Amino acid sequence: MQVPGTDVDSASDFTDRFERIRELSRNGDNAGAIEVADSVVAESEDPLVTCRALVLKLGRLFNLGRTEECPPVLDRAFESVEGGHAPVLRGHLHALAGIIAAGDSLERCVRHLVQAGREIDLEQGPTEETVVAHHDLAVTYSYVGFHAQAVPIAERCYQDGQLLGLPSGDHALPEVAVRWAVSLDHHGDTESCVTMLRRVLETWAERAHPRELWPAEQYYYGYAAVRLRALGEPAELDPVLFTAEEHGWEVADLRLLAAACRDISEGDPARALKRIEHRSPNPYTLGAAESARIRALAHAALNDHRAARTADREATRIATRDQGQLRDGLVDGTRAQLDHEALRRTVEQYASEALTDSLTGLPNRRHFDRYVTRLAESGIHAAVGVIDLDGFKAVNTVYGHLSGDLVLQRVAAILARTLRKGDFVARYGGDEFVAVLPHTGMEEARHIGNRLARAVADGDWEALVTGTPVSVTIGWAELSEPLRLSATLEAADQAMLSGKGRLAGSV
């Protein structure tokens, strides 16, 4: 992940430290860069400067594989930029949030990436900040297998950098094309893989000296050469590229896989097999199927064609499994989009922002109060339900508040589409919703409540917050008079708490 520029007036007091972060990152010292970024966060009173420092920290944490530390940093960064006119900075944050979310939910990842592109494109003309943001956006698309989206963004990143006079090696991304090339090989298109790897070597040799690339990119450029050699194709290799100093999972993976490719090309495939035995490189590096494909090449070099076919079948199975996951993610995303569209249709009648919850689009507490008052004054009896999310704190703790907001939006959409026509649902506050069922007795209300609870529980939460089930507990009370609204809510709340108690007692 790249380092954003410091072309902001309020950042002038921290220019030296931002440059120090750039230098440390350029030399592969991610841990040192994090320490300097933390010092900026501790001392800066400007929210945009704080956000830029947090962006730096996020990228370095990811490079070191310390992703479990990222959610609270992301939350604070988004809070820092909230309300400010900084679309590129927000876009950069969404790009980083995308790769952090990818391990748990492809749907959330893609939402962040699409939003990142939209925010960055709001900036007039290329700036150093947009170049760096596009850099990280291209890498994230590439990591998660959207190669056709990653390549044009990577090319735009480079061309804009050249237009601005930035060093050619600072924004070069051979890794994006290398990752796409080996993906083609995993799917059986070795010819296209060879063509693309050759193009990588030719293109980037013309644009910048390979030794002037950032450390990780030197390894990717070198990997294009050793991978060609493992395929039996001639390629010139500069061994110095594999000595660049960099700490983190990505370079460690590239060293391992490159060494195995060299073993094959130098006539020692048995060593290659031993080298990668029981090793599991991160799938972001070169795809989850790369180890299996290298094993196939090693077995073929040993003339063990049966073992080679077995390994190739495994590589194909892994590669196509990833495609299946992408399709599942698309279905989940489409489902969420349809839910959101249905919710928008439900609340179009609420034109006033003062009566609408900005996060979920549902009526807010004020709107609820007015609605039930009019209902009771018209002499219409109703059932009022207090709907509370179970264990919602765990979602925010594990995945951060951004994911928590997505859960609240999804729950709101489920409630809105599951209730009957003419029923009313509002967000009352926090993780609590209220439903009003006109002309409905308590027995029927409880049946409807059970249907709501089942709909929420069946909401495919694994795709959004892996390993953290989402459910609701609902308590009901009767409303007959406007002056008894407070007592009705208190009775419904007590019924809800009793339901939670019974649930806890049954576990």
Side-chain angles (χ1 to χ4, degrees):
M1 295 295 178
Q2 270 278 22
V3 179
T6 58
D7 53 342
V8 176
D9 292 341
S10 57
S12 58
D13 294 341
F14 298 96
T15 297
D16 290 344
R17 268 183 273 187
F18 277 123
E19 289 301 324
R20 178 60 177 160
I21 293 170
R22 179 185 294 276
E23 179 185 354
L24 291 169
S25 301
R26 184 73 169 79
N27 294 327
D29 187 359
N30 291 296
I34 289 173
E35 290 183 10
V36 181
D38 281 338
S39 73
V40 175
V41 172
E43 298 177 28
S44 174
E45 296 180 359
D46 186 311
L48 295 184
V49 173
T50 298
C51 187
R52 279 181 172 79
L54 292 171
V55 165
L56 296 176
K57 181 175 182 177
L58 283 166
R60 312 285 77 73
L61 286 172
F62 181 79
N63 288 348
L64 292 172
R66 291 160 54 182
T67 54
E68 72 283 353
E69 300 177 38
C70 292
V73 180
L74 264 177
D75 284 343
R76 183 173 179 185
F78 274 111
E79 289 171 5
S80 298
V81 80
E82 186 176 359
H85 181 68
V88 179
L89 196 53
R90 277 196 299 273
H92 200 165
L93 273 175
H94 278 292
L96 294 172
I99 189 56
I100 293 164
D104 300 313
S105 169
L106 184 63
E107 177 194 337
R108 283 192 290 121
C109 170
V110 172
R111 285 170 62 115
H112 280 302
L113 298 187
V114 172
Q115 186 63 32
R118 290 177 177 176
E119 294 278 5
I120 297 168
D121 287 343
L122 292 175
E123 185 73 11
Q124 295 291 327
T127 65
E128 184 174 356
E129 198 176 13
T130 63
V131 170
V132 176
H134 276 132
H135 178 287
D136 284 354
L137 181 58
V139 171
T140 300
Y141 267 123
S142 178
Y143 276 153
V144 296
F146 290 97
H147 306 295
Q149 287 73 29
V151 167
I153 298 174
E155 182 63 17
R156 178 178 178 182
C157 168
Y158 175 77
Q159 294 296 344
D160 285 351
Q162 291 298 101
L163 186 65
L164 294 169
L166 302 176
S168 297
D170 279 9
H171 301 291
L173 279 171
E175 70 170 277
V176 170
V178 171
R179 200 172 285 117
W180 194 358
V182 298
S183 173
L184 293 171
D185 193 36
H186 300 161
H187 288 86
D189 191 356
T190 302
E191 182 178 352
S192 294
C193 170
V194 169
T195 300
M196 189 173 289
L197 290 176
R198 289 200 180 285
R199 192 177 301 137
V200 167
L201 296 177
E202 294 167 1
T203 299
W204 292 108
E206 293 174 358
R207 291 179 168 183
H209 193 288
R211 296 186 186 181
E212 295 176 355
L213 301 173
W214 279 53
E217 299 305 324
Q218 291 186 37
Y219 280 88
Y220 278 107
Y221 182 89
Y223 193 79
V226 296
R227 189 61 156 77
L228 280 170
R229 288 185 171 190
L231 289 168
E233 300 287 335
E236 187 175 340
L237 173 64
D238 181 0
V240 174
L241 298 177
F242 291 102
T243 63
E245 285 293 326
E246 171 86 10
H247 303 286
W249 54 270
E250 197 166 12
V251 165
D253 288 347
L254 288 166
R255 287 194 185 109
L256 171 69
L257 296 170
C261 287
R262 283 200 302 269
D263 291 338
I264 295 169
S265 64
E266 293 170 2
D268 194 356
R271 186 180 182 188
L273 290 171
K274 185 175 181 180
R275 190 187 297 274
I276 61 176
E277 185 180 11
H278 306 308
R279 300 290 294 275
S280 300
N282 193 308
Y284 290 152
T285 306
L286 287 164
E290 181 68 351
S291 292
R293 178 58 177 147
I294 291 177
R295 285 200 304 274
L297 295 173
H299 285 304
L302 289 167
N303 292 318
D304 188 348
H305 299 295
R306 181 176 180 179
R309 286 194 299 272
T310 299
D312 263 336
R313 283 196 296 269
E314 180 185 356
T316 301
R317 177 184 60 79
I318 294 171
T320 54
R321 177 197 65 194
D322 290 344
Q323 286 183 333
Q325 291 173 344
L326 290 176
R327 286 193 294 269
D328 291 343
L330 177 61
V331 171
D332 292 334
T334 302
R335 183 183 297 117
Q337 183 179 0
L338 291 172
D339 284 346
H340 184 64
E341 290 173 357
L343 178 57
R344 287 188 63 184
R345 288 193 296 271
T346 301
V347 300
E348 279 178 354
Q349 57 185 306
Y350 311 127
S352 172
E353 290 186 2
L355 299 177
T356 304
D357 176 60
S358 60
L359 175 64
T360 64
L362 287 177
N364 60 17
R365 182 171 179 171
R366 179 186 297 176
H367 195 161
F368 164 76
D369 289 341
R370 291 186 183 182
Y371 175 81
V372 294
T373 298
R374 288 196 303 269
L375 203 68
E377 288 175 345
S378 300
I380 300 173
H381 74 278
V384 174
V386 172
I387 306 168
D388 191 79
L389 270 69
D390 302 321
F392 183 67
K393 183 179 179 181
V395 174
N396 284 329
T397 300
V398 175
Y399 295 101
H401 291 285
L402 286 175
S403 296
D405 288 349
L406 291 175
V407 168
L408 289 172
Q409 290 170 344
R410 176 75 70 82
V411 169
I414 292 172
L415 295 175
R417 75 165 188 258
T418 306
L419 282 169
R420 307 167 304 179
K421 185 177 181 179
D423 291 339
F424 180 95
V425 62
R427 185 184 179 203
Y428 202 68
D431 60 349
E432 196 168 72
F433 300 83
V434 286
V436 183
L437 314 182
H439 306 291
T440 304
M442 293 298 290
E443 184 176 354
E444 186 178 1
R446 292 189 184 97
H447 284 304
I448 294 171
N450 291 336
R451 189 166 73 239
L452 292 173
R454 284 196 300 271
V456 171
D458 294 341
D460 193 17
W461 300 105
E462 190 69 15
L464 191 62
V465 282
T466 304
T468 308
V470 176
S471 61
V472 295
T473 301
I474 307 175
W476 295 97
E478 288 184 302
L479 174 70
S480 56
E481 301 177 21
L483 297 179
R484 290 189 53 79
L485 174 58
S486 177
T488 300
L489 285 172
E490 183 176 348
D493 193 60
Q494 288 298 318
M496 179 272 294
L497 292 174
S498 297
K500 283 186 180 287
R502 288 193 298 273
L503 181 63
S506 65
V507 175

